[in-house]
Amino acid sequence: MENRILRVEKAEWLNDDYFILWIKDEQLAATTQAGQFYELRKYSSDPHRLRKPISVYNVEKNFIGFFIKKLGRGTTELATMKKGDELDLVGPLGNGFPLVESQKIALVSGGIGYPPLWYLRRKLAGKNDVYWLHGGNSKADVFPCDEIWSMDGSIGNQGYVTQGLETLLKFGGFDLIYACGPEPMLIQVAKVAAEYGVKLYVSMEAYMACGIGVCHGCVVPTGTPEHIVYKTVCKEGAIFDATEICWSAL
Amino acid sequence: MENRILRVEKAEWLNDDYFILWIKDEQLAATTQAGQFYELRKYSSDPHRLRKPISVYNVEKNFIGFFIKKLGRGTTELATMKKGDELDLVGPLGNGFPLVESQKIALVSGGIGYPPLWYLRRKLAGKNDVYWLHGGNSKADVFPCDEIWSMDGSIGNQGYVTQGLETLLKFGGFDLIYACGPEPMLIQVAKVAAEYGVKLYVSMEAYMACGIGVCHGCVVPTGTPEHIVYKTVCKEGAIFDATEICWSAL
Amino acid sequence: MNRLQTSLGTLTMQNPVTVASGTYGAEFGAFYDLNCLGAYVTKTITRYPKQGNPPPRLYETEAGLLNSIGLQNPGLDIFLSNTLPELSAVCSAPIIVSFSGSTIDEFAEMLDIMEQEPRISGYEVNISCPNVEKEGIAFGVDPDTVHSLTSRLAALTSKELIIKLSPNVTDVVSIARAAATGGATSIALINTLLGMAIDWKTGKSRIKRGVSGYSGLAIKPVALAATYKVASALRIPVLAMGGIYDWKDALEFFYAGASAVAIGTANFANPHAVPELIAGLDSYLQERDVSLSDIIGTVQF
Amino acid sequence: MNRLQTSLGTLTMQNPVTVASGTYGAEFGAFYDLNCLGAYVTKTITRYPKQGNPPPRLYETEAGLLNSIGLQNPGLDIFLSNTLPELSAVCSAPIIVSFSGSTIDEFAEMLDIMEQEPRISGYEVNISCPNVEKEGIAFGVDPDTVHSLTSRLAALTSKELIIKLSPNVTDVVSIARAAATGGATSIALINTLLGMAIDWKTGKSRIKRGVSGYSGLAIKPVALAATYKVASALRIPVLAMGGIYDWKDALEFFYAGASAVAIGTANFANPHAVPELIAGLDSYLQERDVSLSDIIGTVQF
Ligand SMILES: Cc1cc2nc3c(=O)[nH]c(=O)nc-3n(C[C@H](O)[C@H](O)[C@H](O)COP(=O)(O)OP(=O)(O)OC[C@H]3O[C@@H](n4cnc5c(N)ncnc54)[C@H](O)[C@@H]3O)c2cc1C
Ligand SMILES: Cc1cc2nc3c(=O)[nH]c(=O)nc-3n(C[C@H](O)[C@H](O)[C@H](O)COP(=O)(O)OP(=O)(O)OC[C@H]3O[C@@H](n4cnc5c(N)ncnc54)[C@H](O)[C@@H]3O)c2cc1C
Ligand SMILES: Cc1cc2nc3c(=O)[nH]c(=O)nc-3n(C[C@H](O)[C@H](O)[C@H](O)COP(=O)(O)O)c2cc1C
Ligand SMILES: Cc1cc2nc3c(=O)[nH]c(=O)nc-3n(C[C@H](O)[C@H](O)[C@H](O)COP(=O)(O)O)c2cc1C
Ligand code: FES
Ligand code: FES
């Protein structure tokens, strides 16, 4: 975990809402794992404001990519960044996805849950049999994968990506699921995975302040409804075994 | 008094600290008097923040000029403005200088008290005999006038501009003084003017919020020490007859 | 149908937008028609003229505004003979007079005099100004005193009687309750927080009197908490203020339970804050096809 | 000569910079050596483990931060067996333990247990957390209770005894005075203000529990006013906090009378806030050729 100020090597726009910022740092690239994230801010922005947690989308030849959706104030500020601008980052943060071998794997992402799975797939590829389902509201929220779902039917299958997952699991043979996306999607994925008895790792989201495990602000409920234990997404997560999460308390 | 958003027609830099912003508006140019001011903000800046009071430096052929010193946050933001950027302004504000004819007049300015006297001089010129003394800390704070004073002696006479005024008044013949500058200078000018029995109009400064006379925030003491009446600089000023001000309460 | 209609106790308002005492004047008529206001709240007046505090009286911090006006005003007589007629000539919205006294008797005397004025639709009793030592504030922090004062005033008028509270208390609900049981018809909150700023270069207080009143952007969450606490605990209508700049800010306060809102410091940053807020709120409600009353107090957790 | 030296009651500090309880952890050791701290203040612990409040617990407003952690902590036993030894291993600065109880007896029991620990240099008694219903806060608003609690604890220890106060009271000076006469050796202020935020799009509270604690930039003027009021009225040293981000902010507090300052929310925005503040302050004092003690309490008006 480091705090660095690094220049943006490339700012790539995918469409009106999504962009990728690339930075270069040998040491960070060497230590960053799939599923980890960084807390980012534009260095020249108001120093009083919080950083924004953004997953690692890709690591390649000392480059680290952040795949970002322009949403509110923080990400809009990041969206103004151009090649050469300084990015102030803290990371890598969180635990990362556990990596496996020789498994039949489904990746499930929704909306901005896409980026961390890209790097995860690269890490799993070759050693496992991987199938990726991605869903978004509309065409603009959908990116390369094996099976596409959109809410408005503007691309791929119309409906929830979890419908696709259910169909898939019905035919069986899957050992493991990794999922990242909005809470309602994760709840549904957890339900389906439990039904079909497939192991599931989820990447959880939470509003963050410190990003390093000191403030206890970014918690999710784990344990049972009778005995909830709040765990920090930034330090004890962002990746959790789905059976750990107390889904009914979300 | 209007609230307009107008494009900067020209942004002129005089040195590292001083710049002039020109806007164009027929109606405002026609109604703006010497000694009045506007409350300015960069239109694209944080809409929660206060505007900054800036005097009218010049009005010429529908153009209005603001001569600004880069000091703190507000003026630094104005300093980023370029031709074509939008300036959000409220004005003209304040009462303006009373104009006279056939008088022998001394103008006295210190530092950023210079700009309002420029337009005033233009209005007085021809009809009166005008002599302008200006003082600043250093070369960078000094602009065209009849007699220059600088604290560090880097240009003109070394010392306070009020020394120059005193010498001038000693020789007599002056009917009227107009002064604008930092409080300590105005206090001294008022003292000298009173000593030599010369009428004096001062342009007062104060921290402002509304700029239009509703908040009572920008007051200066008038009346006597026993019976102070606080008057608003933005509405009842910025120009006051020096005998009105309760100098000892400043 | 008027989606924006609301009421504060006895007062029906064409829209829920008014102004915070001390931040407004008929001068705003230069920018727009004052009749767009749901109500007009005057600067606080006192029985006799007040000179106010020595300057500097203002300082803008990183996130808000400090002020130390000290209730400078011409006194009740001049207010009634000059200010009120001038205002009435340009504004037909309900006029609420904010006033403050140094004793319960003086409050009562003032209200008594003002009752003669048909152009006054209601009163905002300022017991919460942090910038004067004896006036007002001492009243605003003790429930028993608030109850006595309110009861005395309520007996004298059938017009809207708003009690304006300070956030600088341990338990704002207990004070609001005392006002409500005393006969106030609505509660205004919040007045300014206590704040201070010092020039780090010189060690000089930015405000001559030191501790002063803090308003604007920074205090919005505090105002919202106070609004929610009072509105959810009591049935009395709340006129909310504190850091409201636009219709989105106002919506937060309506969800928290405010029946109306006032714009204060925002008037300084944006002279068109009032009409812009009204227009923005109107089109939002229209778009969503709801009335203001469908929103008030419906915050979810 | 060490220009930065200061003291808080019984505690001499190599520099006046510490951290606000709940905003810090040994994790910051990844960014810099924790020994640069004037003192280390722990997150508040309670006698038994606390689960904390349901999420969402955080929201950044336009000018500050809302939090509703609810004192989640592993309890005193695990703190003493795990956290404290781990911390001691990496930090030789004085360690101040922030703690809170639900009764005076519980506070006393906790202090009694901690007195066995030589690595603890002092205590910060948190009677001001707005995010728990029974714990702490009820103690912080009543001078008599504060006096009883402080007297009880002062009798049990000769270490630094800091009482941390809430700004959400009518008269912070009277509470500080009660703590001082009870035997507190210094006063910490301020804890968070009460705040709230609502999503205008959905009407949902941004924080699950509704009203929460408000910190950061926005509260600096409030913290400064409280610091000035307590420091100028009483002789007890003040550990000031609230919206301190850099050495210029800190200077304002020293002028207002603070003997030391704590960095809270700023740690989140800038992980290097602590060493940068210390270094900035040091070079400023050096440049001006003064000591910190020449500045403390010298605000002019
Ligand atoms: C561990 C982790 C990894 C993340 N990785 C990525 C990533 O790789 N790429 C990416 O684009 N984003 C990612 N996010 C989400 C990203 O952090 C948020 O979108 C960002 O913080 C929003 O900040 P903002 O200031 O732009 O918007 P805000 O002003 O905070 O929010 C704008 C609007 O979006 C809503 N919102 C805020 N946060 C979220 C959220 N997390 N999910 C959905 N709606 C939200 C708010 O309620 C509000 O209505 C990640 C979040 C976490 C916790
Ligand atoms: C009626 C009137 C007319 C003015 N006309 C002009 C003009 O034509 N050109 C121009 O450049 N300025 C003019 N000023 C001054 C100008 O308004 C201030 O310089 C400006 O408000 C500073 O704002 P800021 O945010 O940049 O600095 P701030 O952050 O407010 O202040 C930065 C530093 O400057 C100091 N400071 C602030 N205001 C003043 C001041 N008025 N005088 C001296 N020091 C100050 C502060 O104490 C602080 O240390 C005028 C002021 C008034 C009241
Ligand atoms: C310059 C100024 C003057 C004020 N004068 C008064 C006053 O005379 N009476 C009063 O009740 N409140 C007064 N207030 C408080 C406001 O009415 C309002 O309660 C407070 O500023 C919070 O709202 P805001 O954040 O929208 O400004 C004043 C506030 C400011 C900024
Ligand atoms: C996330 C968070 C957690 C906090 N937890 C505690 C706590 O456990 N005990 C305590 O006394 N204060 C706690 N506080 C209050 C801070 O210690 C501090 O008093 C307050 O935040 C003001 O300082 P700041 O503006 O610098 O953050 C917490 C504040 C925040 C933001
Ligand atoms: S964001 Fe602070 S603990 Fe996770
Ligand atoms: S700035 Fe408000 S009265 Fe002058």
Side-chain angles (χ1 to χ4, degrees):
Chain A
M1 171 167 88
E2 307 278 337
N3 179 197
R4 298 258 167 97
I5 294 156
L6 296 170
R7 295 212 178 268
V8 169
E9 299 288 335
K10 191 171 162 191
E12 210 176 316
W13 278 85
L14 305 178
N15 58 40
D16 288 353
D17 292 333
Y18 293 87
F19 60 101
I20 306 179
L21 296 180
W22 293 94
I23 52 142
K24 191 175 171 187
D25 186 288
E26 193 177 331
Q27 191 203 340
L28 295 180
T31 54
T32 299
Q33 297 159 43
Q36 286 191 305
F37 67 97
Y38 282 75
E39 286 258 56
L40 306 185
R41 59 181 288 266
K42 184 176 181 173
Y43 182 59
S44 63
S45 71
D46 183 347
H48 301 100
R49 293 197 67 83
L50 296 180
R51 290 142 198 279
K52 296 292 161 178
I54 302 290
S55 298
V56 169
Y57 162 64
N58 206 352
V59 180
E60 204 157 7
K61 297 197 199 107
N62 299 336
F63 285 84
I64 302 178
F66 301 105
F67 183 118
I68 306 174
K69 178 173 187 182
K70 197 171 131 180
L71 246 173
R73 176 163 169 176
T75 48
T76 301
E77 214 142 54
L78 291 172
T80 64
M81 297 198 73
K82 294 179 301 289
K83 183 177 152 91
D85 287 349
E86 286 176 314
L87 191 64
D88 177 354
L89 47 79
V90 175
L93 301 168
N95 55 1
F97 289 109
L99 297 180
V100 297
E101 289 187 15
S102 316
Q103 306 274 304
K104 191 160 178 210
I105 296 173
L107 305 184
V108 186
S109 55
I112 202 57
Y114 183 88
L117 299 192
W118 178 270
Y119 188 41
L120 174 66
R121 188 179 57 173
R122 272 198 47 212
K123 288 284 175 188
L124 296 172
K127 309 180 189 121
N128 300 274
D129 178 2
V130 182
Y131 187 78
W132 187 351
L133 303 91
H134 176 73
N137 282 325
S138 174
K139 218 188 284 188
D141 305 299
V142 167
F143 309 98
C145 65
D146 300 310
E147 183 177 320
I148 290 175
W149 289 78
S150 69
M151 295 300 302
D152 65 0
S154 59
I155 185 169
N157 309 288
Q158 176 160 16
Y160 291 104
V161 67
T162 46
Q163 294 170 242
L165 178 68
E166 189 151 10
T167 311
L168 205 66
L169 296 190
K170 253 192 210 130
F171 290 95
F174 279 87
D175 301 307
L176 183 56
I177 305 169
Y178 294 92
C180 185
E183 227 168 71
M185 182 199 97
L186 293 181
I187 293 175
Q188 188 58 25
V189 172
K191 216 180 113 193
V192 173
E195 224 166 85
Y196 291 91
V198 182
K199 188 163 182 62
L200 166 65
Y201 289 110
V202 288
S203 175
M204 301 297 288
E205 279 205 6
Y207 207 101
M208 292 186 181
C210 71
I212 61 173
V214 309
C215 76
H216 293 88
C218 63
V219 297
V220 287
T222 68
T224 61
E226 297 71 41
H227 185 68
I228 287 174
V229 175
Y230 289 113
K231 290 203 171 170
T232 56
V233 169
C234 72
K235 193 175 178 185
E236 294 162 284
I239 317 303
F240 292 90
D241 184 321
T243 57
E244 230 195 309
I245 303 291
C246 181
W247 294 102
S248 65
L250 272 183
Chain B
M1 171 166 90
E2 307 278 337
N3 179 197
R4 297 256 168 98
I5 295 156
L6 296 170
R7 297 212 177 269
V8 170
E9 300 288 335
K10 191 171 162 193
E12 211 176 316
W13 278 85
L14 304 178
N15 57 40
D16 288 352
D17 291 334
Y18 293 87
F19 59 101
I20 307 179
L21 297 180
W22 293 94
I23 51 141
K24 191 176 172 187
D25 185 289
E26 194 178 330
Q27 191 204 339
L28 295 180
T31 55
T32 299
Q33 298 160 43
Q36 287 191 304
F37 66 97
Y38 283 75
E39 285 259 57
L40 305 185
R41 61 181 287 266
K42 185 176 180 171
Y43 183 58
S44 63
S45 70
D46 183 347
H48 301 100
R49 293 198 66 84
L50 295 180
R51 290 142 198 278
K52 295 292 162 179
I54 302 292
S55 298
V56 170
Y57 162 64
N58 206 351
V59 180
E60 204 158 9
K61 296 197 199 107
N62 300 337
F63 285 85
I64 302 178
F66 301 104
F67 183 118
I68 306 173
K69 178 171 188 182
K70 197 170 131 180
L71 245 173
R73 175 163 169 177
T75 48
T76 301
E77 214 143 52
L78 292 172
T80 64
M81 297 198 73
K82 295 180 300 289
K83 183 177 150 93
D85 288 348
E86 287 175 314
L87 190 64
D88 177 353
L89 47 79
V90 175
L93 301 168
N95 55 1
F97 289 109
L99 297 180
V100 297
E101 289 186 15
S102 315
Q103 306 275 302
K104 191 161 178 208
I105 296 172
L107 305 183
V108 186
S109 55
I112 203 55
Y114 182 87
L117 298 192
W118 179 270
Y119 188 41
L120 174 66
R121 187 178 58 171
R122 273 197 47 210
K123 288 285 176 187
L124 297 171
K127 308 179 189 123
N128 300 275
D129 178 1
V130 182
Y131 187 78
W132 187 352
L133 304 90
H134 176 73
N137 282 326
S138 175
K139 215 188 289 188
D141 307 298
V142 167
F143 309 98
C145 65
D146 300 311
E147 182 177 320
I148 290 174
W149 289 77
S150 67
M151 295 300 302
D152 64 0
S154 58
I155 186 170
N157 310 287
Q158 177 161 16
Y160 292 103
V161 65
T162 46
Q163 295 171 239
L165 178 68
E166 189 150 11
T167 311
L168 204 65
L169 297 189
K170 255 192 209 127
F171 291 94
F174 279 86
D175 302 306
L176 183 56
I177 305 169
Y178 294 91
C180 184
E183 227 169 70
M185 181 199 99
L186 293 181
I187 294 174
Q188 188 58 26
V189 172
K191 216 180 111 193
V192 174
E195 226 165 82
Y196 291 91
V198 183
K199 187 164 184 63
L200 165 65
Y201 289 111
V202 288
S203 175
M204 301 297 289
E205 278 206 4
Y207 207 101
M208 293 188 181
C210 72
I212 60 173
V214 309
C215 77
H216 293 87
C218 63
V219 298
V220 287
T222 67
T224 61
E226 296 72 39
H227 184 69
I228 287 175
V229 175
Y230 289 114
K231 289 202 174 172
T232 56
V233 170
C234 71
K235 194 175 177 186
E236 295 162 285
I239 316 304
F240 292 89
D241 184 322
T243 58
E244 231 196 307
I245 302 290
C246 180
W247 294 102
S248 64
L250 272 182
Chain C
M1 200 196 80
N2 175 3
R3 299 173 189 284
L4 289 175
Q5 187 171 306
T6 189
S7 66
L8 267 185
T10 69
L11 193 73
T12 300
M13 293 165 71
Q14 57 169 336
N15 70 62
V17 182
T18 180
V19 289
S21 177
T23 67
Y24 204 75
E27 286 83 349
F28 280 93
F31 303 114
Y32 53 84
D33 184 349
L34 300 180
N35 292 318
C36 73
L37 283 165
Y40 182 111
V41 178
T42 69
K43 171 154 187 57
T44 299
I45 55 165
T46 50
R47 180 67 190 92
Y48 301 104
K50 262 188 103 67
Q51 150 185 316
N53 292 337
R57 292 182 175 180
L58 292 171
Y59 183 71
E60 187 181 32
T61 67
E62 289 99 331
L65 179 68
L66 294 173
N67 90 79
S68 173
I69 310 300
L71 295 187
Q72 176 172 354
N73 80 94
L76 179 60
D77 300 340
I78 290 183
F79 171 80
L80 292 176
S81 62
N82 300 1
T83 320
L84 186 61
E86 279 166 30
L87 178 59
S88 301
V90 293
C91 174
S92 60
I95 294 174
I96 313 262
V97 178
S98 168
F99 73 105
S100 185
S102 44
T103 61
I104 292 188
D105 282 343
E106 195 177 86
F107 272 105
E109 182 196 349
M110 291 180 75
L111 190 130
D112 223 29
I113 297 171
M114 290 190 282
E115 275 291 289
Q116 311 308 315
E117 280 292 343
R119 260 313 268 123
I120 297 178
S121 301
Y123 308 98
E124 189 176 271
V125 185
N126 180 1
I127 51 172
S128 48
C129 178
N131 288 320
V132 285
E133 253 139 35
K134 286 179 309 178
E135 222 90 11
I137 185 73
F139 290 92
V141 301
D142 172 46
D144 293 339
T145 316
V146 170
H147 187 268
S148 311
L149 172 64
T150 313
S151 313
R152 178 83 178 273
L153 298 181
L156 297 172
T157 185
S158 56
K159 294 180 182 176
E160 182 61 16
L161 184 64
I162 310 172
I163 307 290
K164 182 163 178 186
L165 300 184
S166 167
N168 306 308
V169 295
T170 305
D171 180 11
V172 71
V173 174
S174 70
I175 299 179
R177 185 179 292 115
T181 57
T185 51
S186 59
I187 298 289
L189 44 84
I190 59 175
N191 211 315
T192 50
L193 290 171
L194 293 178
M196 189 173 185
I198 294 174
D199 186 344
W200 63 268
K201 283 197 195 119
T202 61
K204 258 187 96 165
S205 171
R206 298 286 193 175
I207 300 286
K208 185 71 183 172
R209 295 245 312 200
V211 175
S212 58
Y214 188 35
S215 66
L217 192 62
I219 75 168
K220 191 177 80 169
V222 178
L224 200 66
T227 300
Y228 171 71
K229 287 208 288 183
V230 170
S232 61
L234 308 173
R235 308 186 118 239
I236 192 164
V238 172
L239 166 57
M241 68 198 80
I244 298 177
Y245 286 77
D246 59 27
W247 60 273
K248 297 174 190 177
D249 295 330
L251 273 176
E252 289 194 64
F253 284 84
F254 293 127
Y255 277 114
S259 296
V261 296
I263 303 183
T265 303
N267 289 307
F268 306 153
N270 176 12
H272 286 96
V274 167
E276 285 177 7
L277 198 160
I278 296 169
L281 196 59
D282 194 31
S283 36
Y284 177 76
L285 295 179
Q286 199 167 325
E287 210 172 276
R288 294 230 1 232
D289 194 22
V290 293
S291 285
L292 187 64
S293 52
D294 299 328
I295 284 182
I296 292 173
T298 62
V299 57
Q300 305 272 307
F301 296 92
Chain D
M1 196 197 80
N2 175 4
R3 300 173 189 283
L4 288 176
Q5 188 171 307
T6 189
S7 65
L8 268 185
T10 69
L11 193 74
T12 300
M13 292 165 71
Q14 58 168 336
N15 71 60
V17 182
T18 179
V19 289
S21 176
T23 67
Y24 204 76
E27 286 83 350
F28 281 93
F31 303 113
Y32 53 85
D33 184 350
L34 300 179
N35 292 319
C36 72
L37 283 164
Y40 182 110
V41 178
T42 70
K43 169 150 189 59
T44 299
I45 55 164
T46 51
R47 180 69 191 90
Y48 302 103
K50 263 188 102 67
Q51 148 184 314
N53 292 338
R57 290 180 174 182
L58 292 170
Y59 183 72
E60 188 181 31
T61 68
E62 289 99 331
L65 179 67
L66 294 173
N67 91 79
S68 172
I69 310 300
L71 295 187
Q72 176 171 354
N73 81 92
L76 179 59
D77 300 341
I78 290 183
F79 171 79
L80 291 176
S81 62
N82 300 0
T83 321
L84 186 61
E86 279 167 31
L87 178 59
S88 302
V90 294
C91 174
S92 60
I95 293 174
I96 314 261
V97 179
S98 169
F99 73 106
S100 185
S102 44
T103 60
I104 292 188
D105 283 344
E106 196 177 85
F107 273 104
E109 182 197 349
M110 291 180 75
L111 189 131
D112 223 30
I113 296 172
M114 290 190 284
E115 275 292 287
Q116 311 309 314
E117 280 292 344
R119 260 312 268 123
I120 297 178
S121 301
Y123 308 98
E124 188 176 271
V125 186
N126 180 1
I127 51 172
S128 48
C129 176
N131 288 320
V132 285
E133 252 138 37
K134 286 179 308 177
E135 222 90 11
I137 184 70
F139 289 92
V141 301
D142 172 47
D144 292 341
T145 316
V146 170
H147 188 267
S148 311
L149 172 64
T150 313
S151 314
R152 177 83 177 273
L153 299 180
L156 297 172
T157 186
S158 56
K159 296 181 182 176
E160 181 63 15
L161 185 64
I162 310 171
I163 308 289
K164 181 164 178 185
L165 301 184
S166 167
N168 306 308
V169 296
T170 304
D171 180 12
V172 71
V173 174
S174 69
I175 298 180
R177 184 179 291 116
T181 57
T185 50
S186 58
I187 298 290
L189 45 84
I190 57 175
N191 210 314
T192 50
L193 289 171
L194 293 178
M196 189 174 185
I198 294 174
D199 185 343
W200 63 268
K201 282 197 194 116
T202 62
K204 259 187 96 165
S205 171
R206 299 285 192 175
I207 300 286
K208 184 72 183 174
R209 295 247 311 200
V211 174
S212 58
Y214 188 36
S215 67
L217 192 61
I219 75 168
K220 192 177 79 170
V222 178
L224 199 66
T227 299
Y228 171 71
K229 288 208 288 182
V230 170
S232 61
L234 308 174
R235 308 185 118 240
I236 191 164
V238 171
L239 165 57
M241 68 198 79
I244 298 177
Y245 286 77
D246 59 27
W247 60 273
K248 298 175 189 176
D249 294 332
L251 273 176
E252 289 194 64
F253 284 84
F254 294 126
Y255 277 114
S259 295
V261 294
I263 304 184
T265 302
N267 288 307
F268 307 153
N270 177 12
H272 285 96
V274 167
E276 286 177 8
L277 197 160
I278 296 169
L281 196 59
D282 194 30
S283 37
Y284 177 76
L285 295 178
Q286 198 167 326
E287 209 171 279
R288 293 228 6 228
D289 194 23
V290 293
S291 286
L292 188 63
S293 52
D294 300 327
I295 284 183
I296 291 174
T298 63
V299 57
Q300 303 274 306
F301 296 92

